[in-house]
Amino acid sequence: MLNPFSKREIEKREEHTTVYTYNAFQPGEEFPPPADRERISRYKRLKKVFQNRLPEVYQRAIKLLGDTPHAPQLNTLYIAVNLADILVTKPADLLVGEPPSFESGKPDESEEQQAVNRHVEENDLVKLVHESVIGNGYRGDSWVKVRYGYRQDLSEVRNLLSPEAFAEYQAQFDAEPIIEHVNAEFVYPELSRGNVKSYKAVNICTVEYVVSKREDVPFLNVERHLPGFIKYERYRLHEFEGGIDNSYGYPLQVYKIGERVPTGRQTDVVETGVPIMLVQHAPYKSVDDEWQGISGIENIETLLTAINDRITQIDYILWKHSDPNAYGPEIEGGPEGSQRLGGVYIPIAEGDVTPGYMTWDGKLDAAFKELESLIALVFQNSETPQWLFGTVLGDNAGGTGTSHTDSGAIKARFMPILSKVKRIRTHYDKVIRDVLYICQLMDVEHGDYKYTPVYPKINWQDGIPRNEKEMAEIMQIRTVNKPTIDVQSAIKRLDNVDDEKAREISARIDNDEVAANGTVEASIFNEVSE
């Protein structure tokens, strides 16, 4: 029998269509499954890079000089520059820094549009997208789940009150559709036969430690999502000797799955009432032959390591040569006498041979030049102009980005990062529209709403400030001075309000004009005074 845990076996399964005839989450199996360990290790390793905790993952300079007297000094001086943070945060800022608008295609007074607005606002959907894009930048995968329940966690209140009192207390809360993140490390999808972009099931698996005074007991909670159903399972986990997998650059904890235990739920199979899977996947960048996404810092991982090593080396050179040794005639009282020098002082008498030194040119100019080239490669591979952050390092960093003032020129300069944001937007547009549609289906299935769910549309912004005067002048030229927008629409766009608020503001403007001009109804002139 072939070893199912060998790397070659895993690669072979990835290269061909594989149909699993057994459940990977059952007693006797290992968790995480071998086929997913590289992906999970990559998530955890790149998160360390994003958090600027590179010394915990890479210490190349220290390893190279580990058997020399310099190692302790390098360990003290190691510097980590957090370029990964700004490179994955900026696309999120451009994507939703200017909030998009969500439209149902119905009037603002319609129940459909009000439902879309309600789900966007109550779930802080813009904030959720911003956080998801940042996490997606270093992982490459993000997952969003919809559930129908209470927004407040009432589990502790349930333990405090009697069942009758808790039921009465819970009645004051309304159940509703809730959109939330799912950590990609917890997600184990099962692909449909013949389609790597479709899922027949999505498993959300979390390790939960139950801590008591005597011991910490781990359990595996499995939440298996199917179209229309959710199945819950719970297993006892066991740690074992050698249960650390270092094959993929991160010490991944591995468990042995033990006996199945009760979940504590009233029922372990729940019918959602929605014919769509409640978990949706948003990759950062994707290709057509695998479901996993590609992160924004995965391809610059080694460059970031080299930058930190180079900065550490420069810092070490400056420290080492900031305290030079000296030689000269013997000083009365010896080196510890009336004069103190920073380094070693070597006294010599007249006629003595001057001590020789092994001198070394630190080549700091070359080191800084290489550092500039490495940083430039990082920004180039990230499709991000260096001047986007307000400053540049080096003479060939592409300018400062401040030489253009009209919107067309600014967009041309921003083209690399804007193209990247549009690519990210493509994935999130579908996912967010899907979850909003699922929320409407849940409203009708589980709530008291009677409207017909609609698939919404999202109007995204590009994050670049618009020159309103320039746009108005272009419209004026194209329409030969004809009006191109009504008052209500202008107010709606400028103040970012809905139709109802815009009508209210427009009505107040009309009332102010009437009061200012002193106009009255013409019918008063027909009245006969007595």
Side-chain angles (χ1 to χ4, degrees):
M1 179 178 177
L2 296 175
N3 180 10
F5 304 128
S6 68
K7 190 173 189 300
R8 177 56 196 150
E9 282 302 305
I10 295 172
E11 291 174 348
K12 187 171 69 175
R13 292 175 183 178
E14 291 176 347
E15 292 170 0
H16 301 85
T17 300
T18 302
V19 179
Y20 290 91
T21 59
Y22 67 93
N23 180 9
F25 310 105
Q26 64 178 353
E29 300 292 333
E30 290 188 354
F31 179 81
D36 293 282
R37 290 178 191 173
E38 183 177 4
R39 173 177 64 92
I40 304 301
S41 297
R42 184 176 70 248
Y43 292 161
K44 291 179 176 294
R45 188 181 72 247
L46 294 178
K47 184 175 182 179
K48 295 289 186 183
V49 177
F50 169 76
Q51 293 175 329
N52 202 28
R53 296 165 67 177
L54 277 170
E56 299 181 15
V57 185
Y58 306 110
Q59 294 195 24
R60 190 176 63 173
I62 297 174
K63 290 179 180 178
L64 290 174
L65 301 173
D67 56 349
T68 70
H70 308 300
Q73 295 168 300
L74 284 174
N75 192 32
T76 302
L77 294 174
Y78 194 84
I79 301 172
V81 181
N82 197 2
L83 290 177
D85 188 317
I86 61 175
L87 289 174
V88 302
T89 301
K90 185 55 65 177
D93 296 339
L94 291 174
L95 183 64
V96 292
E98 290 186 63
S101 60
F102 303 83
E103 298 181 359
S104 65
K106 305 286 185 177
D108 283 355
E109 301 84 0
S110 66
E111 198 168 359
E112 293 85 354
Q113 182 62 47
Q114 291 178 3
V116 171
N117 294 342
R118 182 176 70 254
H119 296 312
V120 170
E121 294 175 4
E122 294 182 356
N123 289 287
D124 291 328
L125 201 55
V126 174
K127 174 175 172 287
L128 182 144
V129 172
H130 189 272
E131 294 174 346
S132 178
V133 174
I134 293 177
N136 211 344
Y138 62 81
R139 283 191 310 264
D141 296 298
S142 282
W143 295 82
V144 181
K145 182 180 75 171
V146 183
R147 63 179 176 88
Y148 194 85
Y150 298 98
R151 196 168 296 277
Q152 301 295 327
D153 187 350
L154 304 177
S155 57
E156 288 299 315
V157 180
R158 181 191 298 272
N159 298 332
L160 182 65
L161 303 176
S162 64
E164 296 77 12
F166 176 75
E168 182 179 351
Y169 175 78
Q170 190 181 35
Q172 64 181 312
F173 297 93
D174 293 327
E176 58 183 317
I178 298 173
I179 307 172
E180 58 190 11
H181 297 289
V182 180
N183 192 334
E185 298 176 10
F186 304 155
V187 182
Y188 299 83
E190 298 178 20
L191 303 181
S192 302
R193 175 177 289 183
N195 187 353
V196 297
K197 296 292 186 179
S198 177
Y199 311 113
K200 63 180 181 181
V202 175
N203 301 292
I204 301 176
C205 304
T206 57
V207 176
E208 176 188 1
Y209 272 85
V210 177
V211 181
S212 64
K213 291 183 178 181
R214 293 184 177 181
E215 59 179 349
D216 301 342
V217 181
F219 292 90
L220 175 65
N221 297 314
V222 180
E223 183 179 313
R224 183 175 174 82
H225 284 261
L226 307 168
F229 295 89
I230 304 176
K231 183 180 179 181
Y232 296 91
E233 297 174 350
R234 183 176 173 89
Y235 298 91
R236 173 75 161 85
L237 290 180
H238 301 278
E239 300 181 18
F240 59 94
E241 186 176 356
I244 301 294
D245 191 342
N246 285 294
S247 304
Y248 305 105
Y250 187 90
L252 187 66
Q253 177 69 55
V254 179
Y255 302 89
K256 185 74 72 175
I257 301 179
E259 67 279 8
R260 184 172 178 176
V261 297
T263 63
R265 304 177 60 89
Q266 293 181 352
T267 176
D268 290 341
V269 178
V270 176
E271 187 172 358
T272 65
V274 177
I276 304 175
M277 204 173 298
L278 303 187
V279 184
Q280 299 293 320
H281 178 222
Y284 198 72
K285 183 170 70 173
S286 63
V287 292
D288 63 350
D289 60 352
E290 62 179 353
W291 71 267
Q292 298 181 36
I294 303 170
S295 77
I297 62 175
E298 188 174 344
N299 62 335
I300 61 173
E301 198 174 355
T302 55
L303 287 172
L304 295 174
T305 307
I307 288 173
N308 294 328
D309 290 341
R310 180 60 60 216
I311 292 178
T312 300
Q313 183 191 43
I314 292 173
D315 192 44
Y316 176 67
I317 292 171
L318 295 176
W319 272 101
K320 186 174 181 60
H321 293 275
S322 65
D323 195 10
N325 298 335
Y327 66 89
E330 186 171 357
I331 300 174
E332 183 179 356
E336 301 297 331
S338 58
Q339 297 188 29
R340 295 290 301 271
L341 299 176
V344 176
Y345 185 85
I346 304 175
I348 60 174
E350 185 176 353
D352 288 348
V353 178
T354 303
Y357 296 91
M358 293 182 63
T359 60
W360 174 65
D361 184 1
K363 299 292 185 182
L364 284 180
D365 290 340
F368 277 108
K369 190 69 176 177
E370 183 189 8
L371 179 62
E372 293 175 7
S373 299
L374 291 171
I375 293 177
L377 286 172
V378 165
F379 280 98
Q380 186 179 40
N381 277 272
S382 300
E383 306 172 74
T384 306
Q386 192 177 152
W387 47 260
L388 189 63
F389 302 98
T391 185
V392 296
L393 181 64
D395 299 328
N396 299 315
T400 62
T402 59
S403 58
H404 303 288
T405 54
D406 63 284
S407 60
I410 292 175
K411 286 187 177 182
R413 292 279 284 165
F414 273 71
M415 183 58 67
I417 186 69
L418 290 181
S419 300
K420 180 178 181 179
V421 172
K422 289 179 181 178
R423 182 172 62 243
I424 298 170
R425 180 191 306 161
T426 302
H427 301 294
Y428 277 91
D429 183 77
K430 179 182 183 304
V431 168
I432 299 305
R433 294 167 72 191
D434 283 347
V435 297
L436 286 175
Y437 183 64
I438 293 172
C439 287
Q440 297 175 65
L441 292 174
M442 286 186 167
D443 272 345
V444 176
E445 179 67 24
H446 303 290
D448 299 328
Y449 299 94
K450 304 299 182 183
Y451 63 87
T452 301
V454 295
Y455 198 68
K457 177 184 178 182
I458 306 176
N459 297 317
W460 300 90
Q461 307 296 326
D462 57 15
I464 304 297
R466 294 183 300 174
N467 189 330
E468 303 290 349
K469 180 180 178 181
E470 180 183 353
M471 292 179 61
E473 291 173 348
I474 293 174
M475 290 181 184
Q476 185 180 21
I477 294 172
R478 291 185 61 180
T479 61
V480 194
N481 295 329
K482 290 183 180 179
T484 57
I485 190 170
D486 60 280
V487 175
Q488 182 174 323
S489 297
I491 295 172
K492 183 179 178 180
R493 294 184 185 180
L494 289 174
D495 296 341
N496 195 24
V497 296
D498 56 18
D499 284 334
E500 183 179 355
K501 188 65 176 178
R503 282 195 296 269
E504 180 184 342
I505 297 174
S506 179
R508 289 204 299 264
I509 292 175
D510 293 339
N511 293 336
D512 289 344
E513 288 181 350
V514 170
N517 296 329
T519 57
V520 295
E521 293 290 338
S523 59
I524 66 170
F525 296 104
N526 297 328
E527 295 180 0
V528 179
S529 58
E530 296 180 357

